[in-house]
Amino acid sequence: MQKDKVTMQNKRIYFDHSATTPVDKDVLKVMAPYFTETFGNANSVHGYGQKANAALDAARRKVADLLDVKPGEIYFTSGGTESCNWAIKGAVRTKERNRIIISSIEHAAALSSAQRLEKNGVPVTYLPVTSEGYVLPETLQNEIDEKTALVSVMLANNEVGTVQPVQKLAAIAKSAGAYFFTDAVQAMGSIRVKPKELGADMLALSAHKFYGPKGIGVLYIRGGVKLDKLISGGYQERSMRGGTSNVAFAAGLAAALEKALETQEKNVQKIHKLRGYLIEQIYKRIPHVTLNGGTLHRLPQNANFTFDFIEGESLLLRLDLEGIACSSGSACSSGSLTPSHVLMAMGLEELKAHGSIRFTLGKNNTKQEVDFAVAKLVNIVKNLRAMSPFFNA
Ligand code: PLP
């Protein structure tokens, strides 16, 4: 018992899997040979190049098979951010159809791409969400018109984990003749992600969210979709994305995706149960706390809370001192003090949005870790509230 206590005291606990995940050891093994033995440039004609090219082809085929799409519809990118930039900036090609409709709770990768276009004169409409963090199909139906080039709504939100009704939204976009893009970066490995079933014309993935390496992603582009390129260069990715191919990372992404899908059911069951326990314990032991975001359609790993009378950043730092890593909604750590645009779009008061904190669980977390973190949290919240000018218990 005493030994267990000591082990937990020295342990660091990672509850920030929506920020990134560690690379799975099996994935690392798959990647290793491509740094040293099979290091050729996939575009070179000699044997080294051919071997690298064969590995790149194999990775593409594996990803395509796992997503039930064609290899020619898979493009490797440098990650989720590039995939979102490409889908959004590449879709506005004609003067007649140049309007973008995008949800107000997208990740900055997508939102800032739309904002950039807006600065250059492209009309952009931001779809509101419900207080639970869902985009309603009727809102899109009321907005869409014959000028709309693209509708962009993420499959699952990174802050509150809400899963959007993408199938319905995609059908509305299609009937209006617009393309539909979904950012599935957070969804992969947690819920079913099949581009054709969803009706997506484009779909973004990022390997480091499902135990693959950072710096590689996928943009699925349905055959027949006309998209401008984002990065000009050589003939890589069927001349659509220049730059020497990152074979090691493409192989890693494919291996990570395969493992994520093979183990998804088991992992989700475990994580879902653990998340339920975390929420139950927090509600039971800490007063004045709210779970942000709807629970009906939500990623199993996400629990986003507002602790009244406290700043999320202070909570985050105090938890970090205890070895517990999670993240806060307000982006002080990234150089700005603005509260989360997601929570604000859901109608939270600014003070409450500032008090939010996100726990995202992963496949290796344990009940013991949750117990340890909740015990620390109870004390930290008590201490911070005692110092808060807003709190009078
Ligand atoms: N989209 C969502 C929903 C994300 O959560 C993230 C990363 O947090 C991204 C896009 C960006 O992905 P990347 O880190 O691979 O650029």
Side-chain angles (χ1 to χ4, degrees):
M1 182 69 194
Q2 188 58 28
K3 195 162 170 246
D4 268 4
K5 215 170 179 181
V6 172
T7 321
M8 281 310 293
Q9 289 293 354
N10 299 331
K11 196 172 149 68
R12 290 195 67 79
I13 298 175
Y14 190 73
F15 285 154
D16 202 12
H17 292 83
S18 281
T20 196
T21 55
V23 175
D24 187 284
K25 288 191 176 69
D26 292 338
V27 171
L28 201 57
K29 269 190 215 145
V30 169
M31 292 168 68
Y34 301 106
F35 292 102
T36 48
E37 295 149 39
T38 315
F39 64 87
N41 182 325
N43 272 45
S44 301
V45 217
H46 47 63
Y48 290 90
Q50 283 171 25
K51 265 191 153 180
N53 196 35
L56 188 64
D57 273 354
R60 196 185 311 281
R61 261 183 280 115
K62 186 176 275 184
V63 172
D65 282 351
L66 292 166
L67 298 181
D68 291 341
V69 301
K70 298 192 188 98
E73 295 174 315
I74 296 296
Y75 294 83
F76 288 116
T77 66
S78 66
T81 301
E82 184 188 325
S83 295
C84 291
N85 269 261
W86 187 4
I88 293 170
K89 292 175 180 168
V92 181
R93 302 166 62 253
T94 64
K95 277 217 168 74
E96 296 72 36
R97 257 190 198 270
N98 71 347
R99 180 178 174 219
I100 287 184
I101 301 182
I102 185 166
S103 97
S104 48
I105 59 164
E106 298 293 290
H107 186 272
L111 261 190
S112 63
S113 298
Q115 284 158 355
R116 182 94 181 168
L117 291 172
E118 195 175 20
K119 267 195 188 141
N120 293 327
V122 171
V124 178
T125 302
Y126 299 89
L127 286 180
V129 293
T130 64
S131 59
E132 293 208 311
Y134 298 112
V135 174
L136 296 177
E138 48 268 40
T139 322
L140 174 62
Q141 188 70 68
N142 292 339
E143 276 296 344
I144 203 160
D145 61 9
E146 72 289 347
K147 287 202 165 75
T148 308
L150 177 79
V151 176
S152 170
V153 180
M154 68 203 321
L155 184 49
N157 181 265
N158 46 301
E159 289 191 34
V160 289
T162 46
V163 176
Q164 304 303 327
V166 157
Q167 249 169 341
K168 287 186 182 149
L169 298 166
I172 295 170
K174 189 175 180 190
S175 62
Y179 286 151
F180 185 84
F181 164 60
T182 193
D183 170 356
V185 164
Q186 289 291 336
M188 182 50 83
S190 296
I191 57 170
R192 194 173 164 83
V193 180
K194 303 280 182 192
K196 282 195 289 192
E197 272 179 30
L198 292 169
D201 296 301
M202 291 158 280
L203 180 144
L205 297 177
S206 175
H208 75 99
K209 307 291 184 180
F210 48 88
Y211 302 88
K214 294 166 188 54
I216 183 119
V218 158
L219 183 63
Y220 156 81
I221 307 177
R222 181 178 59 73
V225 167
K226 295 205 171 10
L227 206 65
D228 266 355
K229 58 179 92 169
L230 182 73
I231 298 180
S232 314
Y235 298 109
Q236 294 87 0
E237 301 298 305
R238 281 91 71 214
S239 294
M240 285 297 283
R241 197 253 180 199
T244 303
S245 302
N246 194 342
V247 179
F249 281 36
L253 181 144
L257 187 58
E258 188 171 41
K259 185 154 184 185
L261 295 179
E262 272 169 14
T263 53
Q264 180 167 318
E265 206 179 313
K266 184 179 93 199
N267 290 339
V268 163
Q269 256 181 28
K270 177 188 166 186
I271 291 169
H272 187 265
K273 203 167 151 198
L274 210 55
R275 194 260 316 258
Y277 180 65
L278 171 74
I279 295 174
E280 178 200 294
Q281 287 300 306
I282 288 182
Y283 270 143
K284 203 156 124 186
R285 299 183 56 187
I286 305 178
H288 311 294
V289 61
T290 321
L291 180 75
N292 295 312
T295 49
L296 199 53
H297 307 287
R298 185 180 188 123
L299 293 178
Q301 66 268 36
N302 177 293
N304 182 313
F305 297 99
T306 288
F307 293 92
D308 289 349
F309 319 112
I310 298 182
E311 271 192 358
E313 288 292 301
S314 322
L315 199 49
L316 184 73
L317 296 174
R318 295 287 282 267
L319 283 168
D320 187 45
L321 286 176
E322 299 288 353
I324 302 155
C326 48
S327 79
S328 78
S330 57
C332 167
S333 46
S334 58
S336 115
L337 271 170
T338 50
S340 145
H341 70 281
V342 174
L343 297 179
M344 294 303 280
M346 287 163 57
L348 257 76
E349 289 165 31
E350 205 167 315
L351 211 58
K352 290 211 179 232
H354 271 301
S356 79
I357 194 147
R358 179 188 75 177
F359 298 85
T360 44
L361 307 182
K363 62 181 180 179
N364 298 321
N365 287 135
T366 61
K367 180 170 176 284
Q368 197 191 16
E369 288 179 328
V370 171
D371 283 333
F372 181 80
V374 172
K376 292 289 176 194
L377 194 61
V378 168
N379 284 333
I380 295 170
V381 168
K382 219 181 260 170
N383 289 341
L384 288 174
R385 280 185 179 156
M387 290 189 282
S388 168
F390 305 107
F391 185 64
N392 43 54

